[in-house]
Amino acid sequence: MEQRTDKRLTDAEIEKFIEDNVKSLREKLTGKKVLCALSGGVDSAVTATLIHKAAPDSLICVFIDHGLMRLHEPEKIMKVYKEERKMNIIKVDAAKRFLSALRHVSEPERKRKIMGEEFIRVLEAEAKKLGAMDYMAQGTIYADLLESGSVKGGKHIKTHHNVAIPQNVEFKEIIEPLKTLYKDEVRRVGVALGLPNNMVYRQPFPGPGLGVRTLGEITGPKLDTLRAADSIFRDEIEAAKLDGEIWQYFAILTDARSTGIRDGARAYAYTVALRAVNTVDAITADFARIPYDVLASASARIVNEVPNVHRVVYDITTKPPATIEWE
Ligand code: XMP
């Protein structure tokens, strides 16, 4: 593929991109079956929506709920795709399977590897149930091709493994309708297709989700604790109208317990860490200078409302040396 300049498409070109792709996808996919794995992320959402506009009866979406999503996120995803957009989407409840594969594992790389492998196994099992597919759709975007060295003049930075391709499932071809677009253009296509802003302008959320934010062994109760704390932190950032200003913000459940006093007695409970960063490209990042009052209300609410947490800390490290995620 030819390299693009930094020049972005105009609004008219975005409209034309949609029109041309709907036309060609319709020709290609009508009467065929295409499988698209949805992650809740922007790229797969826009890919599925574009295909749905072109050939609604051909599209089968699979959403794997690995139990590592944020509070109410799986319900929201189903509401948007299934109820509002009437897409053919299958939700796979794989939380138990993920948790059992992760039992007694606390080494970060090992955890990541297990989560990646489970994802692909679940997708394979689901694809198998669905029978022969003509196509697989993938939300590859231009940056993925650049980083994987698939563009002339581009450099190999990392292996592109945004969406896993099942091994034992036959299909003719992978379709990647967004592969010529920059991320901001993908968002503009999403808006033009009528996707809600909170889906299109969603912060980056890693594939392994809260799995990389739950330190040590991942358990159901620890995930519930983190979900509750994370939701409060996000609420408080939004209430302070800082959500448009901070690039990415979330909570981490550390594996550290410390002393505190609950109901007049000494107790040990978890420490929650809050992380909020500003960055241009996620390669380097600085911690956000959140006003103390906002941190104070988030901290007070977390220790009052979330059982088993009685200490909250704010991460004040830059990247490098610290990565944005804790694992
Ligand atoms: P780090 O932690 O490497 O993160 O500083 C940089 C950005 O990438 C996101 N991130 C991921 N995104 N799959 C993803 O799709 C992953 O496994 C993953 N790990 C980190 C992270 O949230 C941050 O925005």
Side-chain angles (χ1 to χ4, degrees):
M1 202 175 106
E2 293 298 321
Q3 200 163 2
R4 278 189 62 179
T5 63
D6 284 345
K7 194 169 162 278
R8 298 302 200 255
L9 298 182
T10 61
D11 288 344
E13 285 166 335
I14 290 279
E15 286 301 331
K16 179 144 176 22
F17 172 90
I18 296 176
E19 210 176 289
D20 291 350
N21 272 277
V22 166
K23 189 161 173 279
S24 63
L25 287 168
R26 187 167 291 155
E27 275 165 21
K28 187 174 198 145
L29 301 177
T30 302
K32 306 276 191 223
K33 281 211 279 182
V34 52
L35 181 68
C36 183
L38 285 177
S39 63
V42 183
D43 305 338
S44 62
V46 176
T47 302
T49 309
L50 190 61
I51 294 175
H52 185 248
K53 189 174 164 87
D57 298 333
S58 304
L59 179 66
I60 301 165
C61 295
V62 173
F63 162 50
I64 298 171
D65 180 5
H66 49 21
L68 306 166
M69 292 270 178
R70 291 171 289 195
L71 194 67
H72 304 317
E73 203 159 30
E75 297 91 312
K76 278 184 207 151
I77 289 173
M78 290 308 284
K79 184 166 177 283
V80 170
Y81 293 118
K82 198 176 179 88
E83 289 174 32
E84 292 170 14
R85 307 192 78 94
K86 313 279 181 235
M87 284 192 194
N88 180 5
I89 173 169
I90 299 163
K91 177 168 172 283
V92 185
D93 292 311
K96 275 201 187 123
R97 182 181 169 145
F98 272 73
L99 273 186
S100 85
L102 288 162
R103 191 171 299 144
H104 303 317
V105 184
S106 51
E107 203 274 311
E109 271 307 302
R110 180 96 199 98
K111 280 159 66 177
R112 269 184 178 264
K113 201 156 176 279
I114 292 172
M115 292 185 272
E117 281 168 3
E118 282 308 303
F119 189 87
I120 190 92
R121 294 293 96 78
V122 174
L123 187 57
E124 276 172 5
E126 208 51 42
K128 218 174 173 133
K129 274 191 231 159
L130 291 167
M133 282 290 144
D134 298 291
Y135 300 99
M136 281 280 303
Q138 216 182 324
T140 312
I141 69 167
Y142 188 62
D144 301 324
L145 295 185
L146 269 187
E147 290 185 341
S148 62
S150 315
V151 176
K152 270 187 209 160
K155 276 200 214 90
H156 182 96
I157 299 171
K158 63 180 175 194
T159 307
H160 171 226
H161 55 107
N162 233 10
V163 177
I165 298 294
Q167 300 289 313
N168 60 355
V169 182
E170 277 185 38
F171 52 89
K172 257 190 260 167
E173 195 188 324
I174 297 175
I175 19 182
E176 301 170 307
L178 310 180
K179 69 179 177 192
T180 58
L181 300 184
Y182 284 107
K183 188 80 177 190
D184 49 296
E185 294 170 335
V186 172
R187 295 191 208 278
R188 285 163 64 204
V189 169
V191 171
L193 290 171
L195 279 174
N197 270 354
N198 61 8
M199 208 159 241
V200 172
Y201 289 97
R202 183 181 188 262
Q203 302 181 24
F205 186 63
L210 301 184
V212 295
R213 298 176 182 170
T214 305
L215 310 194
E217 186 188 357
I218 301 172
T219 65
K222 279 171 84 176
L223 286 169
D224 288 339
T225 300
L226 176 56
R227 259 191 280 273
D230 181 68
S231 161
I232 292 171
F233 184 42
R234 287 187 292 122
D235 274 358
E236 291 299 315
I237 293 284
E238 280 156 33
K241 303 212 173 355
L242 293 173
D243 47 317
E245 287 174 33
I246 304 174
W247 197 81
Q248 192 177 9
Y249 49 91
F250 54 88
I252 300 108
L253 185 67
T254 77
D255 209 25
R257 283 173 221 228
S258 67
T259 6
I261 300 165
R262 283 267 185 207
D263 306 320
R266 205 177 148 87
Y268 278 105
Y270 282 113
T271 302
V272 160
L274 305 178
R275 181 89 162 130
V277 294
N278 282 315
T279 172
V280 176
D281 49 17
I283 296 167
T284 61
D286 195 5
F287 70 90
R289 292 346 186 227
I290 296 178
Y292 277 168
D293 288 348
V294 178
L295 288 173
S297 50
S299 164
R301 279 194 58 202
I302 290 170
V303 291
N304 283 323
E305 296 173 32
V306 186
N308 216 15
V309 172
H310 58 208
R311 194 176 298 270
V312 176
V313 296
Y314 185 52
D315 182 347
I316 51 165
T317 18
T318 55
K319 174 183 179 179
T323 48
I324 295 175
E325 302 291 345
W326 275 39
E327 277 192 348

